[in-house]
Amino acid sequence: MRILGLDLGEKTIGVAVSDELGWTAQGLTVIRRKSLKDDFAALSEIIKEKEVEKIVLGMPRRTDGTYGPEADKVRSFGEKLSRRLKLEVEYWDERFTTAAAERALLEGDVSRKKRSEVIDQVAASLILQS
């Protein structure tokens, strides 16, 4: 069963996908957000192409573990996505995934420009691997 991992941001959506057995995750792409309709169309295309059966959506939490207004936006997006694409959406604590992605890219000596292009994709991979 392939699982799609998403790191939802205001401007982009980082996308990662698991292998068929659900053991590994690899970054797939970054979707530049335009509208909810466009976001769902892009995700729907990926889901069909990769034969995804489940979605894991990063849930933002504050460092103390509480939820803020960003979590409400993610939950709303996830509920709409689940209804629209008829797939289960699971939420996963995404605290520190962007920081971990940044560290990994820095350790890999990835240029600043390239890091900004792929950081959400790497964060989605970390969410999915978790």
Side-chain angles (χ1 to χ4, degrees):
M1 166 172 71
R2 283 192 190 261
I3 303 170
L4 198 68
L6 302 177
D7 180 32
L8 184 68
E10 290 287 326
K11 297 179 183 178
T12 62
I13 303 172
V15 181
V17 67
S18 75
D19 62 75
E20 293 88 354
L21 298 174
W23 291 354
T24 63
Q26 71 177 40
L28 192 59
T29 191
V30 174
I31 298 170
R32 303 284 171 210
R33 299 193 68 189
K34 297 174 188 159
S35 69
L36 201 55
K37 180 181 176 182
D38 289 340
D39 296 346
F40 289 167
L43 290 169
S44 180
E45 187 175 314
I46 292 168
I47 287 165
K48 285 177 188 169
E49 178 186 320
K50 299 295 183 184
E51 299 176 353
V52 170
E53 297 179 35
K54 182 178 179 179
I55 299 169
V56 176
L57 182 56
M59 177 60 75
R61 293 181 116 176
R62 296 180 175 139
T63 52
D64 67 1
T66 61
Y67 296 105
E70 300 84 13
D72 294 335
K73 291 177 187 177
V74 169
R75 193 173 288 109
S76 174
F77 181 90
E79 289 168 358
K80 291 173 186 171
L81 184 65
S82 179
R83 280 194 307 271
R84 173 89 179 257
L85 302 179
K86 310 236 183 314
L87 287 175
E88 176 187 356
V89 174
E90 180 178 327
Y91 301 96
W92 194 261
D93 184 354
E94 71 167 20
R95 279 181 290 180
F96 313 116
T97 55
T98 301
E102 179 81 20
R103 269 193 314 275
L105 292 168
L106 282 169
E107 289 172 9
D109 200 27
V110 176
S111 71
R112 181 184 303 263
K113 183 176 187 239
K114 184 67 176 174
R115 278 195 317 265
S116 69
E117 293 172 6
V118 299
I119 192 158
D120 295 322
Q121 181 178 320
V122 174
S125 294
L126 293 172
I127 290 166
L128 193 50
Q129 286 174 351
S130 296

